[in-house]
Each structure stands twice: as C-alpha cells, then as structure tokens.
C-alpha cells in the first residue's frame, strides 16, 4: 500500500514501496505522467523518483488532505497494462579506472569500507565477480533505465534492466567524500550515477563519463533546450571505452561538435517486466543499428 | 550602477526563487528569509519577485553611482551611509557617490538590501537567483566580488516616500535560542521511538556547516529501527531507496548529525528524512547562526497551515501600511 506523508505544508511525499524494482518505478512514472497531464494550477513541482514520488503544491489554493485524496483517486485510475514510455536510447561512453576518479578515491580511502582495495575491486568482490573486468562487463552488458533525476541538476539514477538476481549492489562510502570529480561514474545501492558537477558524494567510484550531462552554457547541440541531458525514462547503455576514445570525445566536447548517439524509442513497461533480457538485447541492437 | 568595493562574506543576488524545476534536480535557491525579503521589496515599491542582495553575517561595502531608493531588512547587521548609521526596515534615499557599509552582526544572520527597480541580472530558468553550486543565476553564477558592478532594473510599481517604516510589531526580534516547528512524517518510521522522542527534547547546536545548502546540527546520536535493508537502499540503517527531499526536510545520515536542507539543497538522495520544517519557519532558519541552539517542535499540519495564514496576514498588513505612503505610480 502506498504511504502518503506531509513534507511540511508545501510537499506531499508518496512512498509506493520500500524496495526498488522496475515495476514500482514504472508505476511512479505512470502516476506522475497522468498528474502532469492534468496541468493543475495549484501544483508547482511533480517529482517522480525511484520507488516513490513527491509533489510540491500551493497550500493557499489546495488543502494537503484534498490533494492526498486526489492522488489516491488518480492512482486507482492508472493502469500499468497499457503504460507506454516514449524516451531515448543513449550510448554513454565511460572510461573505467581513470586517473581522476582514482586520485579521488585514494584521497578518501579512510572513509571507505575497505581501504586496501579500489572501489571497483571491492564491489567486484562483494558481488561475486572474479575480476574487475568481469564487473565492468556486468555493468556494460545490459542497459539501464533512468529511474530518477535529482540530487543536483541532471544527475541520473540508473537502474539496470536485468532480473533481481543479476542486479549489482554496492554500499555507499562509510562517510561521504567532500570531493568527487565532475562526470564521475559511481555506484551506490542498486544505482549507477554520473555526477554532473564536482562536489560531495558517497557512491563507489568506478570511472568517468567522457561527455557532460550538465552544461550551463548550452554549447553542445544536446543541451540546446535544457541545461541537463538525462530525462526520466531514458535508457542508458554504459559503454567501456579506451583512453584514446576518451581523449577524442573530450576534444569534440571542447570544439562543441560532440553529440550523443541516441535513438528515439516508445516501449511498453510490460515488455520490460515480462522479459528484461529480451528487451535489453533488442534495445542494444536498435541503438547501434 | 552600484560598485562593489568589498563583497562581504557571502553576498548574492536572490529573488523569490527558481520554482518548477525540482524534478530535474534544480533547487529553488532564492531569498532564504522570504519575510524580510518581501518587506525590503515592498519598502522600495518593487515587484514582489524583484531581485535583491542577500548579505550573510558580514556586510559588503557598496558605492552607489546613481541616486537610488533602498531598504534594508532582516537580521540586525546595522547599515551605515557614508559612515553614519541609518535605519533598517525603512525606505531610505541614497545619492550618487554615497557609500553603504555595515557594522558587525548583532542578531540574526542575513540581511536583504532592496534597490527600487531591483538588481538587474539575466533571468536563468525564470529567475535571477544565484545558485553557486552549479554557477548559474545572479551575477555570473557566483557571490559578489570586489570590483563587480551591479545594474539597477525596472521591476518597480510605486514610489514609496523616504522614511516609510515597517510597523514595529511586524519587525522580528532575534535571539540565540530558536524554536523551529516541523511536521513529522516522510520516513520517520525509521527512527526508534526513543530517538524520535529525543529528537524533540534536546537543544541542537548549529555547527559551522550552516549555509544556503543546509544546516548541520550537533546533539546526540539517534538510532534507527533494526531491519533487513530493502533491496536497492544501501547497507546503512539510515539509507532508503533514493527518494525526493522536500525543502526544509531533515535527515540524519548514519544517525550522527541531523541536516536540515534549505534553498540550495540537493533535491533527492538515499537518506531517511524524518520531518520537514514548516514553510513559515524556514524564514526563521535563515536567521540562525553557527553555535546557536535550536529546539524542534512537532506540529500538526493544521498548525503549519495556520502559521502560514498568519504570515500572509502580516505581509498584507505591511502592504496596506506602505500603500498609505506612496508618492506615485511608476509607468510601465
């Protein structure tokens, strides 16, 4: 049963489930999509998240309890059977074990569960991978659903589209770092993320994205409409690249010519839930065709 | 134009805030003490959303290069024009060549300086507010620096007579002990009953980590209900599957130090949130300094809504009073 909670007098927080699953994420997407379509003037922000969602409203025009009743009604009317998502497949190049995040993780070793290993070595071991290469393969073999945006502008929480038993899990740092490089690729809980800007962070550091996901000056084509690139519902494929390709992409970014490889897609949530592996294989074929 | 001779500790351009972009992770930013902010704009006849300067702890030194109507509200950081003390919460005239400076802080933490017409910087996502973490809004996305020059805009409707004052009973009084009202909820079920009880019965001390992003408090360790962590949440008992954080929400990473998230906060993450500061008391939070004591008071939602109504009433009262002190309308 969803849990409805007041976030002070301006927010309603709705927890759909305590644990993460593709199903509950799709549910949050479907409810917030329908709410958005209503264009209610007394609602200021609609924030879908991983297994919950949040609404910021104007309590001068709607009582929080009236809003909760409305959300309950709306949830009843949302069916997952025919829920379709229109989004993008995106190729996201990552340089694993790069020098910049390596320097950061070494600097904060005293805040880590296992000061003797690197983050990649540690997560490979606790997830039963025989090597860091095997872990990288696990991360890059199957695509991720962008299940939530936030923390700072544009940060995508990404949840791999594989059955539960194949999910990779990692604890967060014992104490968060005060520094994380811009574009760092991290992993925490069951989520992969890219840090849009330099700052604090507690996720395990595995590598660095070659291209930006936040650009305040909107120089690149992909940022013409928004400063932030990721959108909830996007499907990201993290691809392991060489230092050579990394440098080449960095140069294209500098020159303003870089553009993400993307394909538009409309898919049924049910198709993902019924057979995530078949869906993932199909997605990868379409992305690189 | 206004020339910045000395920027002070942290002086930023802020308006009502960047509202409606929370879902992409963009916090609202904006003036932290909206009550004082609104009063400063009303006193100079500005639009209620006009951009002002938010001054923190240590005031700037500003040289006005044009005649202007200004008002200074908020915490007690006594202002001076050409070295002579001037009143806060009052419409003031300042002449080209005059220098505005501030004495040391006596109470509160933040002051709002409104200039008739507003501070003119480009609007980014419908707002002029500075968000320094990502370097957007305000003047080049950062706090003011020595040598900066600020332009005055045209966001005003009325000419308010010099000497117009906010009614005495509407001027807040600042102390070093604070009661901040919160609504319990969100993931409060994660705290043990004993810790919940302790949270509301001790004085929390504000640590040096107290800024526009949030305030961190020292007190005592809180405990979470033992459980097998849900899938995807992470292993610490204070972890939850990453979720949205309301503005004003309070979390306690690892049970060690509670953090109240404020205007420039992160919009979501994986720590259990246990309560939310009511919107009216966010204004009070903005005026709290490091080492001061805070007691959190749990209130029902109806009380939060009532406090909000009273806040609106006060603003209305201010408006009516100022409307009786107008010299004229602005055209356009």
């Amino acid at each position: 049963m969803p849990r409805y909670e007041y976030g002070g007098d301006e927010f309603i927080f709705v927890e759909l489930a305590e644990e993460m699953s593709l199903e509950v994420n799709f549910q949050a997407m479907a409810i917030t999509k329908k709410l958005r379509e209503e264009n209610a003037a007394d609602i200021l922000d609609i924030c879908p998240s991983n297994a919950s969602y949040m609404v910021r409203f104007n309590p001068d025009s709607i009582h929080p309890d009236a809003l909760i009743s409305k959300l309950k009604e709306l949830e009843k009317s949302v069916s997952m059977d025919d829920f379709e998502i229109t989004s993008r497949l995106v190729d996201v190049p990552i340089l694993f074990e790069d020098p910049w995040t390596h320097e950061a993780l070494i600097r904060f070793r005293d805040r880590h569960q296992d000061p003797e290993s690197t983050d990649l070595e540690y997560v490979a071991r606790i997830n039963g991978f025989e090597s860091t290469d095997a872990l990288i393969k696990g991360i890059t073999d199957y695509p991720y659903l962008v299940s939530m945006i936030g923390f700072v502008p544009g940060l995508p929480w990404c949840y791999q589209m594989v059955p539960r038993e194949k999910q990779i899990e990692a604890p967060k740092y014992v104490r968060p770092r005060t520094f994380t490089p811009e574009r760092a690729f991290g992993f925490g809980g069951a989520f992969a993320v890219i840090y849009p800007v330099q700052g604090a962070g507690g996720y395990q550091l595995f590598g660095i994205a070659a291209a930006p996901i936040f650009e305040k000056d909107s120089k690149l084509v992909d940022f013409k409409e928004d400063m932030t690139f990721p959108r909830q519902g996007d499907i990201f494929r993290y691809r392991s690249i060489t230092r050579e390709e990394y440098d080449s992409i960095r140069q294209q970014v500098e020159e303003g010519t870089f553009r993400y490889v993307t394909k538009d897609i409309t898919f049924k949530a049910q198709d993902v839930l019924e057979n995530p592996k078949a869906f993932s294989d199909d997605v990868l074929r379409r992305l690189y065709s | 134009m206004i020339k910045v001779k000395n920027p002070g500790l942290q002086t930023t351009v802020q308006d009502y805030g960047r509202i409606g972009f929370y879902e992409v992770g963009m916090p609202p930013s904006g003036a932290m003490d909206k009550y004082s902010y609104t009063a400063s704009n009303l006193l100079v006849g500005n639009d209620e959303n006009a951009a002002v300067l938010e001054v923190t702890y240590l005031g700037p030194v500003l040289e006005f290069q044009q005649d202007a109507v200004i008002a200074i509200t908020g915490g007690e950081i006594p202002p001076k024009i050409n070295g002579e003390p001037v009143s806060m919460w009052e419409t003031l005239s300042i002449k080209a060549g005059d220098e505005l400076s501030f004495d040391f802080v006596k109470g509160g933490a933040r002051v709002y300086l409104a200039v008739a017409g507003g501070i003119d910087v480009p609007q980014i996502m419908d707002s002029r507010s500075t968000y320094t973490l990502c370097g957007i809004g305000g003047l080049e996305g950062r706090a003011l620096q020595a040598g900066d020059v600020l332009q005055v805009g045209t966001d005003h409707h009325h000419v308010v007579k010099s000497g117009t004052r906010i009614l005495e009973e509407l001027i807040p009084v600042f102390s070093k002990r604070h009661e901040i009202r919160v609504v319990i909820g969100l993931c409060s079920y994660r705290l043990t009953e004993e810790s919940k009880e302790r949270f509301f019965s001790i004085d929390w001390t504000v640590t040096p980590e107290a800024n526009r992003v949030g305030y961190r408090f020292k007190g005592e360790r809180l405990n979470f209900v033992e459980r097998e962590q849900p899938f995807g949440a992470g292993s610490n008992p204070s972890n939850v599957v990453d979720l949205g954080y309301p503005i004003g929400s309070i979390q306690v990473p690892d049970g060690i130090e509670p953090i109240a998230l404020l205007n420039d906060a992160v919009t979501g993450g994986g720590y259990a949130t246990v309560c939310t500061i009511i919107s009216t008391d966010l204004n009070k939070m903005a005026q709290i300094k490091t080492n001061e004591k805070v007691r959190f008071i749990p209130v029902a939602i109806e009380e939060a809504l009532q406090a909000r109504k009273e806040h609106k009433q006060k603003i209305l009262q201010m408006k009516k009073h100022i409307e009786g002190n107008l010299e004229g309308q602005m055209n356009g």
Side-chain angles (χ1 to χ4, degrees), chain A residues 29-191:
Chain A
M29 263 188 225
I31 295 164
T32 50
K33 180 170 180 251
K34 190 145 186 190
L35 184 60
R36 202 169 280 131
E37 284 163 2
E38 290 193 355
N39 263 324
D42 36 30
I43 291 180
L44 306 176
D45 284 295
I46 299 170
C47 310
S49 39
N50 291 312
S52 55
Y53 69 93
M54 194 170 76
V55 174
R56 185 181 190 185
F57 62 99
N58 178 2
D60 304 330
S61 61
I62 185 169
H63 191 284
D65 292 338
L67 179 56
I68 289 176
S69 302
K70 185 176 156 164
L71 294 176
K72 284 182 177 171
E73 281 305 308
L74 187 121
E75 275 152 37
K76 270 190 234 153
S77 72
V78 169
S79 154
M80 294 305 293
D81 297 341
D82 51 359
F83 179 51
E84 275 192 349
I85 297 160
T86 296
S87 66
R88 305 169 297 182
L89 308 176
V90 187
D91 171 71
V92 185
I94 303 288
L95 177 63
F96 284 90
E97 300 184 284
D98 66 293
W100 304 281
T101 54
H102 185 77
E103 194 188 319
L105 70 89
I106 293 299
R107 207 172 119 195
F108 295 102
R109 227 57 219 135
D110 60 332
R111 301 181 181 215
H112 196 272
Q113 290 81 356
D114 182 358
E116 303 304 316
S117 315
T118 64
D119 293 8
L120 207 54
E121 286 164 356
Y122 167 71
V123 175
R125 193 175 66 240
I126 63 167
N127 280 277
F129 288 96
E130 60 198 18
S131 65
T132 54
D133 282 349
L135 172 58
I136 292 169
K137 189 171 182 311
I139 292 168
T140 53
D141 266 359
Y142 293 101
Y144 288 74
L145 177 70
V146 175
S147 54
M148 170 177 174
I149 309 279
F151 184 62
V152 292
L155 180 141
W157 270 272
C158 301
Y159 187 69
Q160 203 167 26
M161 298 168 106
V162 294
R164 170 75 60 91
E165 62 276 12
K166 291 202 76 176
Q167 292 280 348
I168 298 157
E169 265 202 292
K172 294 153 196 171
Y173 272 45
V174 177
R175 282 183 297 135
R177 295 173 305 272
T178 54
F179 171 81
T180 309
E182 177 188 307
R183 288 178 283 106
F185 175 75
F187 210 102
F191 301 98

Side-chain angles (χ1 to χ4, degrees), chain A residues 141-143 161-162 275-285:
Chain A
D141 266 359
Y142 293 101
M161 298 168 106
V162 294
N275 194 341
K277 180 161 187 325
F279 180 81
S280 292
D281 288 340
D282 180 50
V283 152
L284 292 181
R285 258 196 310 275

Side-chain angles (χ1 to χ4, degrees), chain B residues 27-40:
Chain B
S29 301
M32 288 181 72
D33 172 2
K34 293 267 173 14
Y35 183 78
S36 302
Y37 159 79
T38 303
S40 73

Side-chain angles (χ1 to χ4, degrees), chain B residues 166-314:
Chain B
I166 297 290
L167 296 170
E168 216 54 42
E169 68 262 29
L170 297 179
I171 298 177
V173 181
F174 301 101
S175 76
K176 292 186 183 346
R177 300 182 73 82
H178 310 269
E179 289 193 345
I180 295 292
R181 291 168 289 182
V182 301
V183 176
I184 306 179
L186 306 172
C187 306
S188 59
Y189 69 95
R190 291 295 303 123
L191 285 180
T192 62
E193 283 307 313
E194 195 195 351
S195 282
K196 242 184 269 182
E197 202 268 324
R198 293 300 292 161
F199 182 77
F200 293 112
S201 46
I202 69 165
D203 281 337
W204 293 93
T205 306
V206 178
T207 68
E209 211 174 305
N211 52 44
R212 291 185 48 85
V213 173
Y215 275 45
R216 193 184 272 263
F217 302 88
K218 255 203 195 96
E220 60 184 59
R221 196 183 175 105
L222 299 176
N223 297 304
F224 293 89
V225 176
E226 278 186 40
R227 66 167 176 181
E228 187 185 333
Q229 284 290 89
F231 179 77
S235 53
N236 191 282
S238 65
N239 285 154
V240 288
V241 167
D242 299 54
L243 41 73
Y245 294 151
I247 295 147
S249 64
I250 298 180
Q251 53 182 260
V252 198
D254 199 27
I256 297 176
E257 289 174 346
I259 300 171
L261 294 177
L262 301 172
N263 299 48
D264 288 2
V266 293
T267 66
Y271 291 110
T273 42
V274 297
C275 59
T276 311
I277 297 168
I278 69 171
S279 60
T280 310
D281 285 1
L282 287 173
N283 303 316
K284 280 206 243 169
M285 273 302 300
Q287 298 295 354
I288 298 176
K289 287 192 291 293
T290 296
N291 289 330
E292 292 181 355
K293 306 281 184 206
V294 172
R295 185 69 74 99
F296 295 108
I297 312 290
V299 297
I301 189 73
E302 290 307 329
E303 193 174 336
L305 293 171
Q306 185 56 34
R308 194 181 167 94
K309 272 198 195 111
E310 285 163 14
H311 168 88
K312 300 240 160 208
Q313 272 304 317
K314 283 185 185 176

